[in-house]
């Protein structure tokens, strides 16, 4: 340790230190002590400067308060300090010597600073004043100069004198401990460092040195190293009270809290990754119950991780716990509203729950995002069949009631529309073109549809406000009705008023049961619907764009 430390010249005069350390060199060769226990140079400088606490940058101990300007002694150009500032009970000449020493030390001129402190100490003795505290500070400051110049022996002597004047003074103890350590007198250094920590437990330099010397003493003296230590003095409470660590500031508390949060986050992330991997491994082995438990633990750590919800939903599906699978998919879609995997697995959960309509809706969403998902396409075909069977069983075939058409006498609301060529009879029919209710609209629409008269249907739609169409169709919407309306719009209104066609289509899909009815359309009916949108998108209009038509078509096709 200290043997490898080159001794600087003593007393700042350029001459070598006279003290021999041959015995310590011999001891190092016998014990085989490595440089890993060498005292760090920065620690030595901190203690010599009086920097003892965490983050402290205190200079040589001494009073430097006051105002007024003076020419710097050895300082930087332009720097001004008050060299005549009072220092405790010292008379002005001694105060000036001390202030000059402080300034020289601050500027790294340790030999010159040492001389100023020595003059102040001699002047103190000659003046006959009685101020042990001020003399203690002078000895402590001169000890710092000795320590900087590598003169450890004189540093120890001055620190001891200072401690005789002011027992348990912190800086003299630190500097003497450092000097002992540099001379490889480790047991005495250990005692001084431990005494410092009794005075102020926040002195980081003392903690570091105690740890370093402890390792060395164990290596040197073995398990009984404590028995060979000198007695560590017990610091009285009166010496501790004014040096107790101050409560941490708000900034320190915040920094500690942030660090604790970061540490906890890192630990949680490591734990989360491990649990997720274990869950994935169980899934590969088809051990879904075990995988489910791992994913559940993952969600306790990161409850907003979308992928874990979809993974656990898969486990629930495999275990036929469809309601729970649906709940997990719902949670995933709240976090990522376009998650394709969540839509598909929710579709499978709805299928297991026999909610074929919801299943179909989710499958259509998957195919809208990615038309190449073959599994979704196959499932949609199967679910469509199941939905038709379900609707058929829920609504047994019953003879349709014939509703007589009541002729309205008000000519203003009635028109005679010629039958189409597909009319059963060659007679004109009369329908109400301004229905006031869903019932009246249904009568008019059924009259046109029963005879296949798309012209009459087109006239009815032309006289009906588009926003009223969903309400009028709410009680009688079926696949044939949608197909018939599409034919009327395509054949008779598209050329006359394409914007009206766009408006009707924009409202029609909001009608009740529309999505169910849309699934029941036959292939030819879907083809006719596609043609309508193709022709509508080709129309040049200032009221809607081709992109508007495409977005609307996605709700139908």
């Amino acid at each position: 340790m200290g043997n490898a430390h080159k001794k600087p010249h003593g007393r700042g005069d350029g001459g070598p230190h006279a003290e021999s350390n041959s015995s310590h060199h011999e001891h190092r060769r016998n014990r085989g002590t490595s440089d890993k226990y060498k005292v760090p140079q920065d620690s030595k400088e901190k203690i010599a400067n009086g920097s003892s606490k965490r983050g402290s940058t205190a200079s040589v101990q001494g009073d430097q308060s006051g105002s007024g300007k003076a020419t710097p002694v050895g300082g930087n150009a332009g720097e001004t300090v008050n060299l005549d500032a009072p220092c405790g009970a010292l008379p002005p000449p001694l105060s000036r010597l001390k202030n000059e020493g402080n300034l020289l030390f601050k500027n790294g001129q340790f030999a010159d600073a040492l001389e100023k402190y020595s003059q102040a100490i001699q002047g103190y003795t000659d003046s006959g004043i009685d101020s042990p505290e001020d003399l203690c500070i002078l000895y402590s400051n001169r000890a710092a100069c000795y320590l900087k110049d590598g003169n450890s022996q004189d540093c120890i002597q001055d620190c001891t004198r200072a401690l005789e004047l002011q027992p348990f003074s912190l800086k003299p103890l630190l500097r003497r401990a450092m000097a002992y350590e540099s001379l490889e007198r480790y047991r005495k250094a250990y005692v001084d460092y431990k005494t410092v920590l009794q005075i102020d437990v926040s002195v980081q330099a003392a903690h570091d040195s105690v740890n370093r010397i402890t390792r060395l003493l164990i290596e040197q003296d073995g398990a009984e190293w404590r028995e060979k230590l000198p007695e560590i003095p017990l610091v009285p409470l009166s010496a501790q009270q004014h040096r107790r660590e101050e409560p941490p500031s708000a900034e320190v508390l915040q920094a500690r809290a942030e660090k604790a949060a970061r540490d906890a986050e890192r630990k949680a992330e490591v734990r989360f990754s491990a649990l997720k991997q274990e869950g994935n491994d169980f899934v590969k082995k088809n051990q879904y119950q075990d995988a489910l438990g791992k994913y559940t633990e993952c969600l306790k750590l990161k409850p907003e991780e979308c992928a874990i919800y979809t993974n656990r939903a898969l486990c629930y599906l495999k275990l036929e716990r469809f309601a729970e699978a649906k709940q997990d998919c719902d949670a995933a879609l709240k976090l990522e509203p376009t998650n394709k995997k969540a839509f598909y697995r929710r579709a499978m959960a709805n299928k297991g729950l026999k909610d074929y309509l919801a299943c179909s809706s989710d499958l259509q969403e998957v195919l809208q995002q990615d038309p190449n998902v073959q599994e979704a396409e196959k499932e949609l075909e199967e679910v469509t069949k199941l939905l038709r069977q379900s609707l058929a069983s829920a609504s047994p075939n019953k003879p349709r009631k014939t509703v007589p058409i009541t002729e309205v006498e008000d000519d203003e609301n009635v028109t005679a529309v010629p039958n189409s060529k597909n009319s059963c009879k060659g007679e004109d029919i009369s329908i109400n073109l301004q229905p006031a209710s869903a019932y009246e609209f249904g009568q008019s629409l059924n009259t046109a549809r029963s005879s296949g008269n798309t012209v009459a249907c087109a006239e009815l739609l032309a006289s009906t406000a588009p926003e009223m169409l969903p309400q009028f169709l709410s009680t009688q919407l079926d696949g044939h009705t949608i197909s018939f309306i599409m034919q009327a719009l395509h054949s008779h209104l598209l050329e006359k008023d394409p914007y009206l066609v766009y408006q009707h289509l924009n409202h029609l899909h909001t009608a009740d049961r529309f999505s169910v009815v849309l699934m029941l359309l036959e292939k030819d009916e879907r083809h006719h619907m596609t043609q309508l949108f193709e022709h509508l998108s080709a129309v040049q209009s200032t009221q809607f764009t081709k992109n508007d038509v495409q977005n609307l078509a996605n709700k139908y096709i």
Side-chain angles (χ1 to χ4, degrees):
M1 178 185 167
N3 294 338
H5 182 68
K6 185 178 179 181
K7 302 292 184 183
H9 300 302
R11 300 186 184 275
D13 56 4
H17 195 284
E19 182 177 354
S20 172
N21 289 318
S22 60
S23 62
H24 296 298
H25 284 274
E26 184 66 27
H27 175 72
R28 179 193 64 180
R29 288 193 294 270
N30 293 338
R31 297 297 298 168
T33 305
S34 67
D35 283 346
K36 67 181 180 178
Y37 297 116
K38 188 173 180 180
V39 179
Q41 184 64 23
D42 59 345
S43 295
K44 179 177 178 180
E45 292 177 357
K46 287 180 181 179
I47 295 177
N49 287 335
S51 173
S52 59
K53 295 189 178 182
R54 297 176 178 87
S56 173
T57 56
S59 61
V60 175
Q61 181 177 1
D63 298 307
Q64 300 187 43
S65 60
S67 59
K69 296 183 179 180
T71 303
V73 179
N76 297 328
E79 182 181 0
T80 57
V81 293
N82 182 13
L83 298 178
D84 294 319
C87 298
L90 294 177
L94 300 185
S95 294
R96 183 176 181 87
L97 287 171
K98 179 186 174 185
N99 289 332
E100 290 176 349
N102 291 347
L103 183 61
L104 289 165
F105 189 96
K106 179 181 178 182
N107 292 318
Q109 297 170 270
F110 307 122
D112 293 335
L114 188 149
E115 182 63 28
K116 294 294 181 180
Y117 294 137
S118 296
Q119 292 177 19
I121 291 171
Q122 184 61 44
Y124 179 95
T125 304
D126 295 342
S127 66
I129 62 174
D130 183 19
S131 180
E133 183 177 356
D134 290 318
L135 185 58
C136 171
I137 293 173
L138 289 172
Y139 275 123
S140 178
N141 287 2
R142 191 172 71 173
C145 296
Y146 284 135
L147 190 61
K148 282 288 188 179
D149 276 343
N151 188 345
S152 300
Q153 191 61 48
D154 284 344
C155 174
I156 291 171
Q157 291 177 3
D158 271 5
C159 289
T160 302
R161 293 190 186 106
L163 291 167
E164 289 171 352
L165 294 165
Q166 293 286 109
F168 304 112
S169 183
L170 188 67
K171 289 184 181 178
L173 275 170
L174 275 169
R175 290 165 184 162
R176 189 174 71 177
M178 192 69 192
Y180 278 139
E181 189 174 2
S182 68
L183 294 175
E184 298 186 356
R185 297 164 70 175
Y186 302 123
R187 298 188 186 100
K188 289 191 173 183
Y190 183 91
V191 169
D192 277 351
Y193 282 132
K194 293 294 284 186
T195 305
V196 165
L197 291 176
Q198 288 185 68
I199 298 170
D200 190 345
V201 74
S202 69
V203 181
Q204 186 61 42
H207 282 289
D208 296 339
S209 298
V210 164
N211 293 335
R212 184 171 57 249
I213 293 174
T214 298
R215 292 193 295 269
L216 178 62
L217 290 175
I218 291 173
E219 180 181 329
Q220 174 180 294
D221 298 333
E224 299 178 353
W225 67 276
R226 291 184 184 275
E227 298 177 4
K228 299 180 180 181
L229 290 173
E231 183 180 358
I232 299 175
L234 182 63
V235 177
L237 186 60
S238 59
Q240 299 178 36
Q241 288 177 345
H242 68 291
R243 297 191 181 276
R244 287 180 179 175
E245 185 176 9
E246 297 180 357
S249 64
E251 291 79 7
V252 171
L253 290 175
Q254 182 179 358
R256 290 177 183 175
E258 290 174 354
K259 182 179 183 301
R262 289 194 298 270
D263 293 343
E265 185 177 352
R266 282 195 294 269
K267 291 179 181 178
E269 186 64 36
V270 171
R271 176 68 174 157
F272 173 84
S273 299
L275 288 169
K276 181 180 179 181
Q277 186 59 50
E278 291 174 8
N280 294 344
D281 293 340
F282 279 130
V283 169
K284 292 176 183 177
K285 299 175 184 178
N286 298 329
Q287 297 175 335
Y288 300 110
Q289 187 63 48
D290 293 329
L292 190 152
K294 297 298 180 181
Y295 292 139
T296 300
E297 289 297 317
C298 283
L299 289 174
K300 291 179 180 178
L301 296 173
K302 298 176 73 173
E304 295 187 359
E305 190 71 17
C306 181
I308 302 301
Y309 283 108
T310 56
N311 288 1
R312 192 171 71 170
L314 174 63
C315 297
Y316 281 134
L317 287 173
K318 295 295 185 180
L319 296 171
E320 297 186 358
R321 295 165 62 175
F322 301 116
E324 291 158 298
K326 182 178 182 299
Q327 289 177 357
D328 272 3
C329 291
D330 289 340
L333 289 169
K334 286 182 180 179
L335 297 170
E336 295 182 14
T338 60
N339 189 289
K340 183 170 62 178
K341 190 177 293 185
F343 273 116
Y344 183 79
R345 290 178 181 170
R346 188 172 71 175
M348 296 300 95
N350 284 322
K351 181 182 178 183
L353 295 170
K354 301 188 184 324
D355 188 350
Y356 302 125
L357 178 58
C359 175
S360 172
S361 178
D362 285 340
L363 290 171
Q364 290 180 43
E365 180 65 32
V366 172
L367 292 171
Q368 184 174 344
Q369 291 186 31
D370 186 358
N372 298 320
V373 182
Q374 296 181 355
E375 296 87 348
E377 189 173 354
K378 292 178 181 178
E379 287 290 343
L380 182 59
E381 292 178 1
E382 181 182 348
V383 169
T384 300
K385 294 177 182 178
L386 291 172
L387 180 59
R388 287 174 177 169
Q389 294 173 5
S390 175
L391 293 174
S393 61
S395 303
N397 293 329
K398 294 181 180 180
R400 297 177 64 90
K401 294 182 179 180
T402 302
V403 179
I405 303 299
T406 304
E407 297 293 339
V408 180
E409 297 179 357
D410 190 351
D411 293 339
E412 184 181 356
N413 296 332
V414 179
T415 184
V417 183
N419 280 331
S420 68
K421 59 184 179 181
N422 295 327
S423 177
C424 297
K425 297 180 181 181
E427 302 175 354
D428 292 343
I429 60 173
S430 297
I431 64 173
N432 181 3
L433 294 181
Q434 292 187 355
S437 65
Y439 173 76
E440 292 179 3
F441 182 87
Q443 281 188 322
S444 298
L445 183 61
N446 287 335
T447 300
R449 200 182 83 179
S450 62
S451 61
N453 194 328
T454 54
V455 175
C457 181
E459 293 290 339
L460 177 62
L461 293 172
S463 61
T464 301
E467 61 270 15
M468 295 301 298
L469 190 60
Q471 180 180 342
F472 286 160
L473 291 172
S474 61
T475 60
Q476 56 179 9
L477 191 64
D478 56 33
H480 297 300
T481 300
I482 289 181
S483 179
F484 186 64
I485 291 175
M486 292 293 176
Q487 292 178 36
L489 293 173
H490 191 191
S491 302
H492 306 291
L493 287 181
L494 183 59
E495 291 185 4
K496 295 180 181 179
D497 193 348
Y499 183 56
L500 179 61
V501 173
Y502 176 81
Q503 286 183 302
H504 274 305
L505 292 174
N506 197 34
H507 288 85
L508 177 59
H509 71 87
T510 64
D512 292 343
R513 301 177 62 252
F514 177 83
S515 58
V516 178
V517 173
L518 192 65
M519 293 175 53
L520 303 178
L521 293 178
E522 300 294 341
K523 184 176 181 180
D524 291 343
E525 295 172 330
R526 291 181 180 276
H527 178 67
H528 292 154
M529 186 181 297
T530 302
Q531 285 185 326
L532 170 60
F533 279 103
E534 288 177 352
H535 293 162
L536 184 61
S537 64
V539 174
Q540 298 294 329
S541 174
T542 59
Q543 296 167 307
F544 60 87
T545 65
K546 186 176 181 179
N547 189 52
D548 293 334
V549 176
Q550 183 60 48
N551 291 334
L552 184 58
N554 291 335
K555 302 181 184 298
Y556 286 81
I557 302 171

